[in-house]
Amino acid sequence: MGRGFSACAAAPATRSQISGRRLMDGWECPSGALHLHELKKIFGVSSSSVEESLFIETIFNSFDTNKDNTLDFLEYVAALHLILRGNLEDRLKWSFKMYDNDGNGRLDRTEVKRLKTHISMTPSQICDRIFELVDQNNDGEITLLEFMEGAQKDEWVMNLLKLDVNATGWVIQNCGRLQSAT
C-alpha cells in the first residue's frame, strides 16, 4: 500500500496521495496502517499512564471499524473527518460509542462514570447529573436517542463531552511541533 500516510495534512490531497502515499512530512506509517502503539506515540501517551492509555485505546478501537487492530488509510481519513468536520449528530454518535464499553447500545452508570472531566465533581455526582438530565424514561440506562437529544438540549452536557472543542485548531497548533520532533 505505498508508503502509508501522515497524521497531519496541510493542503488538500491529490488523488495519487490518497491512494496511500505520504501526505506530508511528519508521522508516517510505512505499512499503510496505523497501530495502537503508534497512535499512543503520536499523542505522547506513555505505557505508565494507565488511564491515558485506556482512553487512547478506546479512541483507537472506535475508529478501527473492521476490527483488524490497525487503522488503515480510509479509517484514518474517516476519523479525521469526523473530528475536524463532522456534524454534531455524527460526533454525538461517536461519543456515545466511545462510552458504550460493552457495545449493547445503552450507557449504564458504570460507563457514564468513565467520562473524563476537569470539573470539581466526583464521578458519581457527574453520573447522577447526567442521568437526571438525559435519562428521559428513568430506566437507569441511556439510549443513543436519549444521549443525542439530552446532549443537544443541555449546554453543561455538551461542554462535559467537549463536543464544541476546536479540534482543527489543535491539529494546526500541534502538527508543526510534532513534525519537528521526528
Side-chain angles (χ1 to χ4, degrees), residues 125-149:
Q125 290 170 324
I126 294 167
C127 180
D128 290 344
R129 182 156 180 200
I130 289 172
F131 270 84
E132 179 183 316
L133 295 169
V134 177
D135 185 15
Q136 296 170 358
N137 61 0
N138 297 313
D139 66 351
E141 295 181 319
I142 299 171
T143 65
L144 176 59
L145 182 62
E146 288 173 324
F147 182 81
M148 292 177 61
E149 289 177 357

Side-chain angles (χ1 to χ4, degrees), residues 2-174:
R3 289 187 62 182
F5 57 89
S6 167
C8 294
T14 65
R15 186 172 179 85
S16 63
Q17 288 171 319
I18 290 176
S19 70
R21 295 193 190 117
R22 186 171 84 186
L23 292 175
M24 70 181 286
D25 292 333
W27 309 308
E28 291 184 40
C29 299
S31 67
L34 182 65
H35 296 270
L36 178 59
H37 72 277
E38 294 165 323
L39 187 66
K40 286 181 180 180
K41 184 178 177 184
I42 288 168
F43 285 100
V45 174
S46 69
S47 57
S48 63
S49 176
V50 176
E51 191 172 299
E52 287 180 355
S53 188
L54 286 173
F55 187 68
I56 291 295
E57 287 175 30
T58 302
I59 291 171
F60 181 88
N61 291 331
S62 75
F63 289 126
D64 181 17
T65 55
N66 64 0
K67 304 301 179 203
D68 65 353
N69 296 317
T70 63
L71 295 182
D72 63 35
F73 186 72
L74 291 177
E75 290 169 326
Y76 173 79
V77 170
L80 281 181
H81 177 74
L82 173 67
I83 292 169
L84 299 176
R85 299 192 182 257
N87 64 39
L88 178 60
E89 183 176 322
D90 290 338
R91 290 184 297 152
L92 282 169
K93 286 178 183 176
W94 174 68
S95 185
F96 182 87
K97 181 179 174 183
M98 288 276 300
Y99 295 107
D100 184 15
N101 197 39
D102 58 12
N104 70 352
R106 296 179 171 275
L107 298 180
D108 58 33
R109 289 185 175 273
T110 303
E111 292 166 325
V112 171
K113 286 180 184 176
R114 291 177 44 225
L115 288 171
K116 305 291 177 236
T117 65
H118 299 287
I119 59 175
S120 59
M121 293 173 71
T122 68
S124 291
Q125 290 170 324
I126 294 167
C127 180
D128 290 344
R129 182 156 180 200
I130 289 172
F131 270 84
E132 179 183 316
L133 295 169
V134 177
D135 185 15
Q136 296 170 358
N137 61 0
N138 297 313
D139 66 351
E141 295 181 319
I142 299 171
T143 65
L144 176 59
L145 182 62
E146 288 173 324
F147 182 81
M148 292 177 61
E149 289 177 357
Q152 290 180 66
K153 289 178 183 174
D154 191 275
E155 185 177 344
W156 182 82
V157 175
M158 287 292 284
N159 288 335
L160 183 69
L161 297 172
K162 298 190 179 21
L163 292 171
D164 59 347
V165 169
N166 179 3
T168 305
W170 182 92
V171 170
I172 291 168
Q173 177 184 351
N174 289 284

